Each structure stands twice: as structure tokens, then as C-alpha cells.
Amino acid sequence: MEGVEDLETQPSPKHGEKNSSLAEVVRSPRRKERQGKSPRRRREVKRSQRRLDDQEPLPCGRERRRLLGQPEHREPSASMAETSDTSPKTWDRCRRSHFLHGPYPATHFGPKACILPNPTSVMHIQDPASQRLTWNKSPVNVLVVRKVRDQSLLEPFKELCKFLIEVLCISHYLIICLGGDGTLLYASSLFQGSVPPVMAFHLGSLGFLMPFKFETYKTEVAKVFEGNAAITLRSRLKVKVVKDALQRTGRSYGDEENGTVAQAETDGDAGKVTLQLQVLNEVVVDRGPSSYLSNVDLYLDGRLITSVQGDGVIVSTPTGSTAYAAAAGASMIHPNVPAIMITPICPHSLSFRPIVVPAGVELMITLSPDARNTAWVSFDGRKRQEIQHGDSIKITTSCYPVPSICCHDLVYDWFESLAECLHWNVRKKQTQLTDITDDSDTET
């Protein structure tokens, strides 16, 4: 064989001489394989795996990119075994468990800040309480967004900006919102990629997503700038509107026997993508100005699930489950739950209840072939447009969540908003009986 001939033609090293680069070149592949399976090699791998459980969270930035790259081939040593054998495999496991503990093993918000998961929960569902905001280096930019057409917020806006510039003398990769929930929705829509951490002050109407009080803004902002703040990663929806994606024929767009859609009819290249954006709350498809029922087909991963006949359908994130979906009768989901909620609007059916599907699926909404009218779609209440026969709306979970800074922690803040804003489970308490004996259950 070629490898054996090369090995025989080269002179053997002298006794006691260390392995030179020439000996490394002519070493046969079988010998290298035996070396990788040696007991010493296995012990080094086990020791490096034990070190992984005790080490600090993996770094981000240039160091993280170096760990994710292919390692340079060298003679196996303790340091090299730890880098090449554990780190890439660890990140592979993170990618395979994508939707178990969030969109990214380490979510980045620009070159200055990142959210690191708990390294002990790589193969398990991540504890949301371990999501913390830390600053690796002092950033340089800040974005302050206030509610429009509200002159009462002008003075708080000036006061906050003056405090950031003159007192702290620093500015961060941070979004500060002054207003209501609509202000936060608008601020997040400015970033169609990675979103900086958002700090929201309640100066609007409802304020379900605004946990901070403006009266204590100096203390709260200073605490966030120091780092180690609790974070809620609010997932968003990635939405694409494709025109003429389906064949405009008189037959059904799907296979009536097994409910699947033909590949040629669902290919995104067949149509023109007219709109693509990130949505924080919900995508609403309704009947618009028509008096007829809305009749749309709902597909999940290319398979026809059902047809919605009613006023429309809502596809929402867990954050949006407390908005329009809650008014339509859906359950309220904590924003850290990786899921997509599908809620019909006034369905003409007694058995059509809201459902929750995994965050990793792709939904597609089209007009039914026998629909009497067109449909209309809106995204967080914006960019409303008409959907005709042959058009499709493709929805999946985005890989760019909105990191919302918590006032206390992500569990307490959510339940406090339920109680304060929506008056969840509020009723007069039952009074205690003065006599514990129930006369109706005793014999006379």
C-alpha cells in the first residue's frame, strides 16, 4: 500500500530521539487511529469532560468564534484535548437542543453585551432564572424611545437624557422606552436583527410589558449599567408574505388524500417575497371589510391542518398571548415558553379551540380555493395589506428575540403585570365560618 511503502522507505529515528516532523509525516493512518484509542487518550478526554462541568460560562466574541472553529491538528496534549474534544461537541449539543432552552446557546446583542446560559444545563431545559445581563466592555450607544403625541412625556424624556449624559457620563448599547406597550413594540421593530437589551418605564396606558417605575429611574438605570440584571428573552415571529406562491388553478392546493401540499406549489422561489419582518406580538389574518366569513387554510410544516372559517385567525408569540389572543379566548403563556399560539377569531364552530404548537415549526396561511372573498393581514397592528388567491404567509420563530430587562425577576414581573394590569383572578374572598359544624350534614 502507499502508506506502507512510504513508511518503509524512510529511515527510522535513532534510539532516544524525540519524534521529529519527518516521523510525524510518515506515521501510518492505522497507527494514528490506535493512538487516538489509547487508554491515556481516553483518560484525558474524561478529565477534560469533568472540567467542563466546573468551568466558567463559555466566552463570547472572538474567543467564542475561535472555540467554534475547527481546531488545528497537533500532537494530543492535555490542553489540546480539552479544547478540541469538548468545546465543539458541547456547542453541537447546544445547537441540537435549540428549542429546549432558547434560540441561541449564547444570545448576542452586538459586540458589547451577551446573555450566557447556565453551563450545567446544556442538555436540559434551561432554568430561566439563570438568564443574566452582563457587560463585557463599556458600550458606546444608547437609544431612548418615548411615546409619540404625548407632551407630558417631554420633560421626563429630557430629564432622563440629561442624567445619562451628565451624571453617568456613559452610554450603553441599551434601549430605554418611555410610554406604554406600543412604545416597546415600535422600538423592537426598529431592529430586524439582533436587539439590544430593552429597559421599559411605565408612562403609558396599560404598561403590561413595562415593569419599571419612572420615579426611581436613577437607581434602576444605575443598577442596570452595573450589570447582572435579570433578562426575559421574548421570542419574535419571522414572517414572509409571498405573492403568487401557489398555482392559481381551480383544484385544491393540497393533496386531499393525506393533507400534504405539493412541493412545486409551496416552493418559495415560485413567488415573490414582498414583505419580511420580525413580529413581537402577533400576526392577524381577518376578513377585512367583507361581510362574508374568512376562509383560510392553515398548514404546519407543509401539511394541511385545518381550514379556519370565521372572522380570522391569530398567530401569536407567548408575549402576544396576553394581547389580542387573550381577548379572543386564548390562554396566557409565560414569555420564556418556546411556543407559537394559534387562536381563531369568532370561529363558526363550537369545537375550534386555541392550540399551542412547538416553536420550531413553520406555519403557512393561504386563502382556501373556494373562499368567497380575500383576506387581510396585519403585523403587530401595522403594515396591513390584502391577501389574494395564490398568496401565502409563512411564519416561524425568529432567532432574534427581544431581551427585556426585569425589574425584579422574570417570574415575579409577569405575575405582577397579570394582577396589576389585567386584574387576573381578582374576586372577593370567601369569609370564614364562625361555626365549623355544618348543620346540613349532621343528623337531627
Side-chain angles (χ1 to χ4, degrees):
M1 296 183 293
E2 181 179 357
V4 176
E5 294 175 357
D6 293 341
L7 181 63
E8 294 176 352
T9 56
Q10 300 296 334
S12 59
K14 297 180 181 180
H15 178 69
E17 182 180 355
K18 295 183 179 179
N19 292 338
S20 62
S21 58
L22 182 60
E24 173 64 22
V25 173
V26 301
R27 181 177 290 114
S28 64
R30 183 173 298 179
R31 183 179 176 184
K32 291 183 180 180
E33 183 179 358
R34 288 197 303 268
Q35 183 181 6
K37 296 182 180 180
S38 64
R40 179 181 177 184
R41 177 68 170 173
R42 289 195 293 267
R43 287 195 299 269
E44 289 175 352
V45 172
K46 291 181 179 179
R47 283 198 299 269
S48 61
Q49 187 66 34
R50 286 195 297 268
R51 294 192 193 101
L52 179 64
D53 298 332
D54 300 330
Q55 64 181 209
E56 294 295 326
L58 290 175
C60 51
R62 182 181 301 174
E63 182 67 13
R64 175 174 175 266
R65 290 193 297 269
R66 184 184 66 82
L67 292 178
L68 288 176
Q70 293 294 334
E72 182 181 357
H73 179 73
R74 298 177 183 175
E75 281 292 324
S77 60
S79 59
M80 283 297 294
E82 181 175 348
T83 302
S84 61
D85 289 342
T86 60
S87 299
K89 294 181 180 179
T90 303
W91 287 108
D92 288 342
R93 292 197 298 269
C94 290
R95 286 191 288 267
R96 286 196 296 269
S97 58
H98 176 83
F99 289 103
L100 289 180
H101 61 284
Y104 279 132
T107 304
H108 288 257
F109 313 111
K112 303 299 182 183
C114 65
I115 303 299
L116 293 176
N118 188 346
T120 60
S121 59
V122 173
M123 292 300 292
H124 307 282
I125 297 177
Q126 180 189 353
D127 182 10
S130 64
Q131 296 172 170
R132 314 295 294 182
L133 172 65
T134 57
W135 301 103
N136 295 331
K137 189 177 180 181
S138 180
V140 294
N141 293 315
V142 63
L143 173 64
V144 182
V145 182
R146 71 174 181 90
K147 185 178 180 180
V148 297
R149 295 187 295 273
D150 192 345
Q151 295 300 323
S152 63
L153 297 183
L154 187 58
E155 288 302 323
F157 178 77
K158 294 180 179 178
E159 184 180 352
L160 176 61
C161 293
K162 183 178 179 181
F163 173 76
L164 293 173
I165 297 173
E166 298 181 358
V167 179
L168 295 181
C169 298
I170 55 175
S171 56
H172 283 61
Y173 276 113
L174 183 68
I175 303 176
I176 298 180
C177 296
L178 304 179
D181 297 335
T183 306
L184 191 147
L185 292 176
Y186 170 74
S188 64
S189 67
L190 298 177
F191 299 87
Q192 294 301 304
S194 297
V195 184
V198 179
M199 188 176 187
F201 288 92
H202 179 21
L203 291 173
S205 301
L206 184 62
F208 188 89
L209 305 177
M210 324 292 281
F212 291 96
K213 307 298 182 183
F214 189 76
E215 291 77 11
T216 59
Y217 76 91
K218 293 184 179 180
T219 304
E220 299 296 343
V221 171
K223 287 169 55 178
V224 171
F225 281 1
E226 293 174 359
N228 199 29
I231 286 288
T232 297
L233 294 179
R234 300 184 179 275
S235 62
R236 294 194 290 178
L237 297 176
K238 179 182 177 182
V239 187
K240 291 193 300 184
V241 178
V242 184
K243 296 293 185 180
D244 298 324
L246 305 179
Q247 297 177 0
R248 297 188 180 185
T249 60
R251 62 181 179 85
S252 173
Y253 294 121
D255 188 350
E256 297 181 356
E257 295 182 359
N258 55 15
T260 59
V261 186
Q263 180 66 28
E265 297 174 348
T266 60
D267 189 1
D269 297 336
K272 178 182 179 181
V273 178
T274 59
L275 181 65
Q276 180 172 339
L277 72 164
Q278 310 283 327
V279 176
L280 180 58
N281 264 356
E282 72 274 308
V283 177
V284 179
V285 179
D286 56 67
R287 57 189 175 94
S290 175
S291 59
Y292 292 108
L293 288 175
S294 173
N295 191 356
V296 296
D297 292 338
L298 179 64
Y299 297 88
L300 192 148
D301 286 339
R303 181 176 294 274
L304 178 64
I305 299 301
T306 187
S307 295
V308 182
Q309 299 183 86
D311 282 353
V313 62
I314 305 171
V315 180
S316 61
T317 63
T319 298
S321 66
T322 54
Y324 193 179
S331 298
M332 293 179 290
I333 304 177
H334 191 276
N336 268 91
V337 178
I340 299 177
M341 174 169 285
I342 302 173
T343 307
I345 306 174
C346 297
H348 199 255
S349 171
L350 298 178
S351 58
F352 195 170
R353 312 313 307 162
I355 60 174
V356 178
V357 297
V361 302
E362 183 184 58
L363 299 174
M364 186 176 69
I365 300 176
T366 64
L367 274 178
S368 296
D370 52 354
R372 296 184 178 182
N373 57 295
T374 61
W376 289 76
V377 60
S378 61
F379 314 93
D380 282 344
R382 301 176 292 109
K383 300 184 183 296
R384 185 171 173 83
Q385 56 184 274
E386 189 177 12
I387 299 299
Q388 300 178 348
H389 286 284
D391 302 341
S392 66
I393 306 169
K394 296 184 178 181
I395 306 171
T396 187
T397 300
S398 171
C399 58
Y400 299 110
V402 176
S404 179
I405 300 177
C406 301
C407 182
H408 301 93
D409 60 72
L410 68 169
V411 176
Y412 180 84
D413 286 0
W414 191 68
F415 279 100
E416 185 180 35
S417 296
L418 288 180
E420 295 293 332
C421 300
L422 301 182
H423 303 288
W424 176 64
N425 196 26
V426 175
R427 71 177 297 272
K428 297 182 66 175
K429 289 190 176 181
Q430 189 179 43
T431 59
Q432 185 180 7
L433 294 176
T434 56
D435 187 3
I436 62 174
T437 303
D438 191 352
D439 296 338
S440 63
D441 294 337
T442 60
E443 297 181 0
T444 57

